[in-house]
Amino acid sequence: VTTYCHYPPEAAKKPKIGDFLHPNLERIVGLRPDLVISESTGVRGSVQLTLPALEVRNGSVAEILEAIDTIGRAAGVPDRAERLAARIRSDLGAISERTARLKHPRVMFVAGRTPGRVEDIVVAGRGSHLDELIGIAGGVSVFRDTVSNYSKISLEALVARNPEVIIDMGEMADTAGVTEAQKRAVAATWAARMPMLAAVRNRRVYAVASDIYVVPGPRIVEAAREFARMLHPGAGF
């Protein structure tokens, strides 16, 4: 597993092979795995090994479900993978059905920015699983027309789109050990820098720090539920 794998708890006991951008190839070879599973980045071969290897994509919800099926077959447990994917589809469908008739607020998910400042903002946009989950949770991503999954935006574009809800994970690259004081500081940063935004005026800036949002996999249902709670606080999610 990578240095950023925190779930399930058993992952903490596994040997670490580096991270997404800097895998330790010698370490991987030394572990003599039966199968190497990696995420496809569109650039072939961050890991070029003489080992059985499998690349999966997980940019969208459909790709996440397909990856579960692919990994299940490769691991010899296709029935388990099929049941898991079916449960995810069912749970996401149930959330979508509950939110369909609710008012859909304009939402921005901040995936990155300069710490302590409202600068160099990177948002989840078109083609990202977060954009899809926001829609399932009963929101409308204000940057769903971006040219890539995650795009840097200007402050002028931010003011023009004027999100009603801001979900900010921009300072939480390391999700472990984030305190409530740190989360309050994020809201305070927005209040000081962007008081004209609807989300700031109505105190609907949510600082989040959890792998459920940025590690595409079975817990996308948890992420969708959390989005629904933030977007529709009186709906009982």
Side-chain angles (χ1 to χ4, degrees):
V1 300
T2 75
T3 53
Y4 292 102
C5 292
H6 306 132
Y7 181 89
E10 291 82 1
K13 302 175 185 177
K14 298 291 184 181
K16 305 294 189 293
I17 54 83
D19 60 29
F20 177 78
L21 295 175
H22 306 98
N24 186 324
L25 303 188
E26 291 182 359
R27 177 72 162 150
I28 294 172
V29 172
L31 290 169
R32 305 199 323 190
D34 296 309
L35 179 66
V36 177
I37 302 173
S38 63
E39 180 185 358
S40 173
T41 62
V43 178
R44 187 74 182 175
S46 61
V47 181
Q48 294 287 348
L49 300 170
T50 56
L51 294 168
L54 178 67
E55 280 190 337
V56 296
R57 294 182 179 274
N58 56 13
S60 67
V61 171
E63 288 179 342
I64 292 168
L65 295 171
E66 183 180 352
I68 289 171
D69 178 68
T70 300
I71 292 170
R73 283 188 279 107
V77 287
D79 293 343
R80 285 175 56 186
E82 185 178 346
R83 289 195 298 271
L84 174 59
R87 186 170 71 246
I88 292 171
R89 287 190 186 94
S90 176
D91 290 345
L92 291 178
I95 295 170
S96 180
E97 185 176 349
R98 286 186 61 185
T99 61
R101 289 181 287 274
L102 300 175
K103 182 177 182 285
H104 284 35
R106 302 187 309 277
V107 184
M108 177 177 70
F109 188 100
V110 179
R113 62 176 172 79
T114 302
R117 306 181 71 85
V118 182
E119 296 176 0
D120 298 320
I121 301 170
V122 176
V123 298
R126 179 174 59 188
S128 70
H129 75 286
L130 291 170
D131 176 79
E132 292 183 75
L133 294 181
I134 287 169
I136 289 169
V140 177
S141 175
V142 295
F143 288 104
R144 65 184 318 170
D145 58 347
T146 54
V147 296
S148 62
N149 295 11
Y150 297 92
S151 297
K152 184 178 289 188
I153 62 164
S154 67
L155 294 182
E156 292 78 11
L158 171 58
V159 173
R161 302 294 175 99
N162 192 24
E164 296 172 284
V165 178
I166 295 173
I167 303 171
D168 189 344
M169 196 172 171
E171 292 189 32
M172 311 300 183
D174 187 355
T175 58
V178 175
T179 66
E180 290 303 313
Q182 287 174 282
K183 293 181 180 180
R184 288 193 296 271
V186 169
T189 296
W190 283 97
R193 305 287 181 176
M194 288 284 160
M196 75 293 290
L197 297 179
V200 176
R201 292 199 311 270
N202 296 317
R203 297 188 178 183
R204 300 199 69 184
V205 175
Y206 301 98
V208 297
S210 174
D211 289 343
I212 66 173
Y213 304 108
V214 292
V215 180
R219 291 189 294 168
I220 58 175
V221 173
E222 293 180 48
R225 287 201 183 102
E226 287 301 316
F227 283 155
R229 291 187 182 106
M230 288 182 266
L231 305 185
H232 308 288
F237 282 99

